[in-house]
Structures are given as structure tokens and as C-alpha cells.
Amino acid sequence: MGEESAAREAAGQDFGDDGGEEAGDPLALRLESLILGAERRYTPFQAARAAGVSMDLAARFWRAMGFADIGQARALTEADVLALRRLAGLVEAGLLSEPMAVQVARSTGQTTARLADWQIDSFLEGLTEPQEGMSRTEITYPLVELLLPELEEFLIYVWRRQLAAATGRVVQAADDVEMVDRRLAVGFADLVGFTRLTRRLEEEELGELVEAFETTAADLVAAHGGRLIKTLGDEVLFAADDAGTAAEIGLRLIETLTHDETMPELRVGIAFGTVTTRMGDVFGTTVNLASRLTSIAPKDAVLVDGALAEELARSGDAPKSEAEVTAAEQAGEEHGTYRFALQPMWQRPVRGLGVVEPWLLTRRNG
């Protein structure tokens, strides 16, 4: 069922229908055994039987985790059996429904697959430069042996931290409905003219630019209390629990990248409203509106929708009306201290969303 697809490529193995296996690359097999903590012992049928689950359910779990079918090759370990038993046990205990257990397998598989690919392609590759008397291949095993327990502990630590933060956000929701369909501020930040850059820059230069953009955006979003939902090369999607946090992030992105001569111009669109969250992603009309606002935003500017503008006014982060502030100042009256200024733009039709009135968000001086 699983790690076999990767091992087959690495070790050059060929598995027959009878479950036998030809000798592959000894180092690849040793690395697999080191990482998995056990040697191959079971066929998929034997693993399912040992775990006490049906072959159909075992196959569904396996595919959900992102692994290819392997016929009846003897490629599974005690760890595979234990994982099947745990997931099935959660279903039997009524803690998870079967579809939810499959979703757990899928979300975990997708997230860790990206992490593993990055670690192998970038991290380990950079640390296995050939040394005097040792090839890159010979360095790999002792390096993995040293790093594996440390990276494992760190992964668990970060996961627990993220789980605690996510749980805290959800349980603070106003009611049961909002715990699922939550009101969030959602923003997109998009590099302007990225398509032209792909034709002008070398692949390595383009990769460095994208990495720098994603790193800068991720750091800014996290530092100011938002969450990076995903990166799409020339675009990042972020979310925040309140309008003020999202507005600060949007302006910080513009301000930071404007002072970086290596970066192209940026535009940001932010909307506020009900959002459906699923497998770490966000969906719904609010997300679509934020995307449309980004596409029509001026260069190096932030556009927000009316709902976010109202939230900023309600929270005291922006005045309800600049005219009121001007009148108060002329009359010598006190007025609030505001972080942001909002300028209404021309109403315009937005494909699939009707007519919207975007607001230009800027930082307020004084």
C-alpha cells in the first residue's frame, strides 16, 4: 500500500503479484527501515487482517494518505498495522465517523507529504555535499540517523502548538454555528507582472524571488497575528480573526515589499464575512470577493470591501467618515485616534458577485 511507491523508485524494485520481491538498492532499503523504525513484513491483506479492519477500509485509509496501490507486495510494517488499528479504533469507539477518519488521513497525508518533499529536496540535499572519501549517498544514512529523532520531536512540538492555537480560536467563537462557519477577514496579496517576470528571469532567479516573497509574507502574517492559509507562487492567501489585524497585515506587506528593490509591485484585497474552513483552507463568497478585490486593486495598494470597512469603524480603528473628523478638528472638538483611513472608490460590477463598493485602505497620519 504505501511507502512502497517511493521505495520502488529509489530502490529500483519490481514486485510480483505473489508478494515476492527482488533485491533492490540495499541503502534505500536500510534508509526505509531506519525511517519507518521497522522492516517490511506484511502484504496489504495481512496488514488489514492484523489490524482487524476490512481490506476496503484499509485501502481507503492508505489512498487518503497519498500512497499508491502496491498489489500484494510484502512492503508494510508493524507501524502500518498500528496506524490502521488506531484509525479504525477511533471509528469503532464513535469518536470519529468513517468519513471523518478518512479525512484525517487525507489532511495529514497531504500536509506531511509537502513537508517531506521539502526536507528531501532542499534541506537534506544541502547537507549531503560530498566529503573527502565519502560520496553524497554514503553521507545520507548517518545524517538521517542523526536528524530523524530531532526533527520528529520538533514536528510534534510545532503540531501541538498549532493545535493549541487553532483550538483556542475556535472555542472563543460566539456560538455553535460560528465554530464551523466563522466570520473572518480574508486577504490575498498578489505580485504584479509575475507572468512577465517568468519570461525574463532565469529559473533559479525566479525561484529565489518566489521564496523570498513567500518567506517575507509568512513572517509578516504570523508576526501580526494572522494565519497564512496557502501560497500560490506569486500570491499568498491569509486570514485573521478581526478586521484590524487583517488591515495591518495588508499595509505591512505593501510597506515592506515597496522598500525591497528586488521585488515587483504588490496589490492586496481583503474582505470580511462568513467563511467555511476545511482541511486548513478557506472557502466561500468572502474568499471570492477578496480575490476579485485583489485583481482590481491599484499597484502597491490595499482594497477592502464594505463589510471590512464597517468592522474597522465599529472597532474604532478607522473613522466612520473623514468628513466628521475634519468637522471635529475645525470645531476644535476631540475625536478618536485612528490607525487607518478609508476612501470609497467607484462602485463596479464584479464577475459572479454583483456590484461592489471597494474602499482604499491607507495608514492614517495623526
Side-chain angles (χ1 to χ4, degrees):
M1 287 187 306
E3 282 81 2
E4 181 52 27
S5 60
R8 186 181 301 175
E9 292 183 10
Q13 294 171 337
D14 182 20
F15 293 89
D17 293 336
D18 61 357
E21 62 182 70
E22 298 178 359
D25 184 337
L27 177 59
L29 293 175
R30 286 177 61 217
L31 279 169
E32 180 190 272
S33 179
L34 171 66
I35 294 170
L36 298 180
E39 295 182 353
R40 299 174 179 183
R41 177 177 176 183
Y42 301 98
T43 67
F45 176 79
Q46 292 169 338
R49 184 170 61 182
V53 304
S54 68
M55 262 301 298
D56 177 66
L57 183 59
R60 288 179 64 199
F61 283 153
W62 193 254
R63 291 167 188 159
M65 286 186 284
F67 300 124
D69 294 337
I70 58 168
Q72 285 305 315
R74 193 182 302 279
L76 304 184
T77 71
E78 289 288 352
D80 298 306
V81 172
L82 180 59
L84 287 174
R85 191 176 294 151
R86 280 176 170 160
L87 272 178
L90 292 173
V91 175
E92 291 172 4
L95 294 173
L96 295 178
S97 66
E98 189 172 302
M100 180 61 70
V102 171
Q103 192 177 76
V104 167
R106 178 170 292 110
S107 61
T108 306
Q110 289 178 357
T111 302
T112 53
R114 292 186 63 190
L115 176 62
D117 283 342
W118 179 88
Q119 288 173 331
I120 293 300
D121 293 342
S122 302
F123 187 51
L124 290 180
E125 183 179 320
L127 293 177
T128 55
E129 290 295 331
Q131 304 292 324
E132 185 176 347
M134 293 185 71
S135 67
R136 183 186 295 274
T137 300
E138 291 170 329
I139 294 171
T140 300
Y141 188 93
L143 180 65
V144 171
E145 191 172 29
L146 288 171
L147 287 177
L148 186 64
E150 302 302 326
L151 293 178
E152 182 178 29
E153 289 296 325
F154 186 68
L155 175 63
I156 293 172
Y157 156 73
V158 175
W159 171 70
R160 284 182 177 272
R161 266 290 177 189
Q162 293 286 7
L163 189 64
T167 303
R169 289 192 298 267
V170 171
V171 298
Q172 291 177 39
D175 51 46
D176 287 346
V177 173
E178 195 173 327
M179 288 182 71
V180 179
D181 294 323
R182 302 165 59 197
R183 286 174 60 79
L184 298 174
V186 177
F188 283 90
D190 177 57
L191 292 176
V192 179
F194 185 77
T195 303
R196 291 193 301 274
L197 283 175
T198 61
R199 294 193 292 265
R200 182 163 56 86
L201 297 180
E202 297 292 335
E203 287 187 7
E204 185 174 348
E205 292 177 310
L206 191 64
E208 290 174 354
L209 184 145
V210 168
E211 184 175 358
F213 170 56
E214 292 182 349
T215 300
T216 300
D219 288 348
L220 282 173
V221 169
H224 294 282
R227 299 182 298 286
L228 188 70
I229 303 299
K230 59 185 174 184
T231 60
L232 304 169
D234 62 332
E235 188 175 61
V236 297
L237 169 61
F238 64 91
D241 293 325
D242 63 89
T245 298
E248 183 66 30
I249 290 170
L251 290 173
R252 290 276 182 172
L253 286 168
I254 295 292
E255 292 162 356
T256 301
L257 295 186
T258 298
H259 290 92
D260 187 338
E261 295 180 356
T262 66
M263 284 289 170
E265 294 154 316
L266 188 72
R267 52 192 177 193
V268 177
I270 311 174
F272 184 86
T274 300
V275 174
T276 298
T277 59
R278 189 176 182 85
M279 291 180 64
D281 208 342
V282 290
F283 306 92
T285 302
T286 303
V287 181
N288 296 337
L289 179 54
S291 177
R292 299 288 190 273
L293 288 170
T294 306
S295 66
I296 63 175
K299 296 176 181 178
D300 288 334
V302 180
L303 281 189
V304 305
D305 72 331
L308 191 130
E310 289 180 8
E311 280 294 307
L312 291 177
R314 185 189 63 79
S315 63
D317 284 312
K320 294 181 180 179
S321 166
E322 288 293 329
E324 291 181 7
V325 174
T326 302
E329 290 175 345
Q330 291 175 345
E333 299 174 355
E334 291 289 331
H335 61 79
T337 302
Y338 305 110
R339 289 197 289 164
F340 309 115
L342 291 163
Q343 177 186 340
M345 309 292 283
W346 291 105
Q347 291 186 352
R348 65 191 73 189
V350 175
R351 181 167 51 88
L353 297 171
V355 177
V356 299
E357 181 183 7
W359 294 71
L360 181 65
L361 175 75
T362 56
R363 197 175 294 284
R364 186 176 179 80
N365 297 318

